[in-house]
Amino acid sequence: MQRQIALCIAMGFISILNAGDRPMDRNPDFEVTAGCKGQAPCIFDGRRIDFEISVRNVRDSSIHLPLEFIRYGGPYIVLHDNRTQRHLTLPSHMFDGALLSNLTVVAPGQSVSISASIDASYLEAWGGASADVTAVVELGAPLEGSTEFRLIGKTELRIVGSKAARRQG
């Protein structure tokens, strides 16, 4: 009897662990990408990293997106230092619920963009000109008249310091 209980507990625990392996970081209605203008990876030269996030509707029908709400609040960003495996969650802006009623119609195949940035101080602390960082960028918002946040998408943005970029190039 104790073995059966232990087996049930173990199987439940394994199913929880396996659930974490499933791709939970994507919304099938959107394709989300991010990049610095004309650079891959983004090059940190001591100034703030400015980048664009693109959200494309991959559905066969239009989507009503609270774009201004998302732009005002910005993305959720976690920095990962590729050399030391440290990570840091960056503070985000407060969301303005009044902007939820301002919906943008995104037609099938159409993309919209959101500007974002990472302050130079975070990258200076992680190596400055020698930095090698991956920024995990996630967008979420209440969709389809809901008040619950839903994931729109998640993507990665690689950032290297100017010295590290010269070594790679």
Side-chain angles (χ1 to χ4, degrees):
M1 178 71 168
Q2 288 178 334
R3 285 183 189 210
Q4 288 176 332
I5 293 172
L7 181 61
C8 288
I9 292 171
M11 289 181 69
F13 185 71
I14 288 169
S15 69
I16 291 170
L17 287 178
N18 287 339
D21 293 339
R22 292 186 205 124
M24 303 293 280
D25 59 354
R26 126 170 242 289
N27 182 322
D29 297 337
F30 301 101
E31 178 182 273
V32 176
T33 58
C36 293
K37 292 179 181 159
Q39 296 178 344
C42 298
I43 307 298
F44 176 62
D45 61 3
R47 293 183 296 225
R48 165 180 87 194
I49 294 288
D50 293 315
F51 62 98
E52 292 290 318
I53 304 165
S54 176
V55 178
R56 189 170 75 88
N57 176 359
V58 295
R59 273 188 9 187
D60 292 336
S61 59
S62 294
I63 295 174
H64 293 81
L65 190 65
L67 187 58
E68 293 308 314
F69 175 85
I70 296 166
R71 284 180 175 153
Y72 183 83
Y76 177 79
I77 301 173
V78 178
L79 297 180
H80 296 274
D81 186 326
N82 295 322
R83 294 170 303 171
T84 66
Q85 304 308 310
R86 292 183 301 167
H87 65 276
L88 173 69
T89 302
L90 301 185
S92 59
H93 298 102
M94 296 296 291
F95 289 99
D96 183 353
L99 295 173
L100 282 173
S101 61
N102 184 4
L103 299 176
T104 300
V105 177
V106 184
Q110 181 183 14
S111 295
V112 293
S113 65
I114 298 152
S115 296
S117 64
I118 298 171
D119 191 86
S121 63
Y122 298 112
L123 299 168
E124 283 293 345
W126 283 7
S130 299
D132 184 357
V133 175
T134 299
V136 178
V137 179
E138 187 174 319
L139 291 177
L143 300 173
E144 300 168 7
S146 171
T147 57
E148 266 184 58
F149 267 68
R150 286 192 37 218
L151 179 71
I152 292 171
K154 187 176 186 178
T155 190
E156 292 184 353
L157 181 71
R158 178 104 183 270
I159 304 166
V160 296
S162 55
K163 284 183 186 176
R166 282 195 293 272
R167 282 193 301 265
Q168 290 178 1

